[in-house]
Amino acid sequence: MLRLSGLKLPLDHAPEDMPAAICARLGIEPDALIRYEVFRRGNDARRKSAIQLVYTLDLELAGEAAVLARFAKDSDVRPTPDMEYRFPTKAPANWTGLRPVVVGAGPCGLFAGLILAQMGFRPIILDRGKVVRERTKDTWGLWRRAEFSPDSNVQFGEGGAGTFSDGKLYCRTKDPRFLGRKVLHEFVKAGAPDDILWEAHPHIGTFRLVSMVESMRRSIEELGGEYRWQHRVDDLELEMRPDGKHRLRGLHLNDGSFLEADHVVLAIGHSARPTFEMLHRRGVYLEPKPFSIGVRIEHPQSWIDRARYGKCAGHPDLGAAAYSLAHHCSNGRTVYSFCMCPGGRVVAATSEPGRVVTNGMSQYSRAEFNANSGLVVAIDPARDYPDGPLAGIAFQRHWESQAFVAGGSSYWAPGQKVGDFLAGRPSAGLGEVIPSYKPGVTMTDLSQCLPAFAVEAMREALPVFGRQITNYDHPDAVMTGVETRTSSPLRITRGKDFQSLNVERLFPAGEGAGYAGGILSAAIDGIKVAEAVAASIMAR
């Protein structure tokens, strides 16, 4: 087949316009087009008065070789790549070796476990949290009653942090093997809508993710995998090799038990702070990495729709509008939008008592009243937390604690209207925009729970963003703090074999290890690490 990219058609085009556009683009007769299927559909809204849909199509043509030869210099006309996933190895029949262990049941751990199970290695999957429906009850306990559970919340439990998010399924990770397609197909098998296979910016939403992770858990268990909930890894059992490098021998768990293991995928997520501290004590090689700090900003979704789509706002083929913004500030900082959630809500996302953390979440419909996004400032170890690999965690904890106090020490979050923030005065009440964060928002002065450089940068960036998106800097837009979990503050450094630099057979993976950001890239990394684990097992 042939892949044709960048084919543009009007927003309200008729179905029969597509074959005609294909034939016109390629200069072929209608009877030469045997069939076509949509691989991806996006939109071009740069001209709000003439929004176009942009297609990538896979075509079956008569005389395909001649067409490819004629368009040899056209990068939008290429053979359709082979996207089928093939297992690099399989366990021998009736394999009885020591089972690999996956620590963490978020997107990375889920796919590491799934691939290992599909290859016949019957993994054991540990998670400090609970199954997704019990975890959901605990999470709602914080949102509705300000009752916090340290081991069962937005960050910990089945599905990981991605379960309570927008469920975005796209990333900028290079993917020459099309592992992302494997991820999407597994999600569809588990109950995701099939439009995630062709939408340019697919998403699932929280409620659908809940049933999907349950379905995938059943698939893993049917293949011989085993889940153990409320099992936290508190220590590693290591042996010293003659060359001075350590080798993993097993895991000490929070219930006092010992699990023998010589291949462990560490897919612990970006908020597993006690585990990071344990790894540091054990001498596992860690290094600090950049992340960001800021707030969640909310506007009525209708404002964003009109600003992005003009008179076409509300069109069913466009859905709720999203945005992506960035500004390089005069103080040397960069302010940017992060994890934008159209038609969603801001949620309480702390993983530790006495701290406030915000995140964004939406359902598949994206039909709630407000749009929200992180409005964050990039920070880096050399400039902002230079005191070793755990210094970023200390930085996060400080500002999360400040936010807890500013919100009233009750898990309410501190909030401020944009107009007041820009004017440098505390907010005493709300305007047109009602914040969505639960259990509640205390209107105050956000500068008391953000670094001064971040406040300065955000005050410069907001009017700039207001010139790009009408009403972005509206005085009544609401900011809620603080956003600190944009990515892991450290990296559990690994080599080309995906193993820790100094602990053999320990496989750091996913977002917590510093090798992913978001559901799709974490899942892709889980596949890669599972393949590396299987290769190591088979090489023994």
Side-chain angles (χ1 to χ4, degrees), residues 5 22 39 42 44 66 88 92 132 197 252 281 299 373 380 392 407 420 483 495 528:
S5 303
I22 294 169
F39 174 71
D44 182 349
V132 68
L197 297 173
H252 294 275
R281 289 194 305 271
H299 308 84
S373 173
D380 66 84
D420 293 332
E483 178 99 3
K528 293 177 180 178

Side-chain angles (χ1 to χ4, degrees), residues 132-213:
V132 68
R133 294 198 184 267
E134 292 181 30
R135 174 193 178 202
T136 300
K137 293 177 184 177
D138 293 334
T139 300
W140 279 97
L142 174 61
W143 295 350
R144 290 172 172 166
R145 301 182 300 277
E147 297 174 356
F148 172 67
S149 173
D151 289 314
S152 183
N153 49 60
V154 166
Q155 307 295 346
F156 302 137
E158 185 175 20
T163 302
F164 299 98
S165 71
D166 186 52
K168 295 178 182 67
L169 296 177
Y170 53 91
C171 64
R172 296 181 177 89
T173 303
K174 292 183 179 179
D175 187 20
R177 294 177 54 203
F178 299 95
L179 297 179
R181 297 299 289 181
K182 168 69 169 173
V183 174
L184 297 181
H185 279 290
E186 291 293 346
F187 279 152
V188 170
K189 283 169 56 179
D194 60 8
D195 63 13
I196 69 171
L197 297 173
W198 49 264
E199 283 287 1
H201 295 97
H203 77 285
I204 299 175
T206 291
F207 287 166
R208 293 194 179 214
L209 278 164
V210 167
S211 59
M212 287 163 50
V213 297

Side-chain angles (χ1 to χ4, degrees), residues 288-336:
K289 61 173 282 295
F291 61 103
S292 300
I293 185 170
V295 298
R296 280 272 145 184
I297 186 167
E298 290 187 87
H299 308 84
Q301 182 63 47
S302 60
W303 292 5
I304 304 301
D305 290 343
R306 286 196 299 270
R308 292 280 287 112
Y309 296 146
K311 66 180 182 180
C312 295
H315 193 286
D317 283 340
L318 296 176
Y323 60 78
S324 179
L325 299 167
H327 175 65
H328 301 291
C329 300
S330 57
N331 69 355
R333 303 287 178 167
T334 297
V335 181
Y336 64 100

Side-chain angles (χ1 to χ4, degrees), residues 15-59:
E16 58 268 21
D17 294 339
M18 179 71 79
I22 294 169
C23 293
R25 172 68 173 84
L26 297 178
I28 59 175
E29 295 298 322
D31 58 1
L33 176 60
I34 300 171
R35 67 181 180 92
Y36 68 89
E37 58 187 51
V38 176
F39 174 71
R40 182 171 291 117
R41 187 190 72 176
N43 66 70
D44 182 349
R46 287 175 292 181
R47 294 177 58 207
K48 291 191 284 287
S49 61
I51 295 176
Q52 295 179 300
L53 297 178
V54 184
Y55 292 92
T56 298
L57 305 164
D58 287 327
L59 317 174

Side-chain angles (χ1 to χ4, degrees), residues 322-393:
Y323 60 78
S324 179
L325 299 167
H327 175 65
H328 301 291
C329 300
S330 57
N331 69 355
R333 303 287 178 167
T334 297
V335 181
Y336 64 100
S337 59
F338 170 77
C339 190
M340 194 270 160
C341 296
R345 62 174 55 241
V346 179
V347 298
T350 186
S351 59
E352 293 180 326
R355 299 190 170 94
V356 163
V357 179
T358 61
N359 194 16
M361 184 185 88
S362 63
Q363 303 302 340
Y364 177 71
S365 64
R366 289 177 166 173
E368 298 197 47
F369 191 78
N370 284 352
N372 78 79
S373 173
L375 179 69
V376 297
V377 181
I379 56 179
D380 66 84
R383 179 161 44 171
D384 300 311
Y385 42 100
D387 300 324
L390 301 182
I393 295 174

Side-chain angles (χ1 to χ4, degrees), residues 272-290:
R273 292 167 173 174
T275 306
F276 292 147
E277 292 163 344
M278 177 273 290
L279 295 172
H280 187 57
R281 289 194 305 271
R282 273 294 179 188
V284 177
Y285 190 88
L286 311 175
E287 57 184 330
K289 61 173 282 295

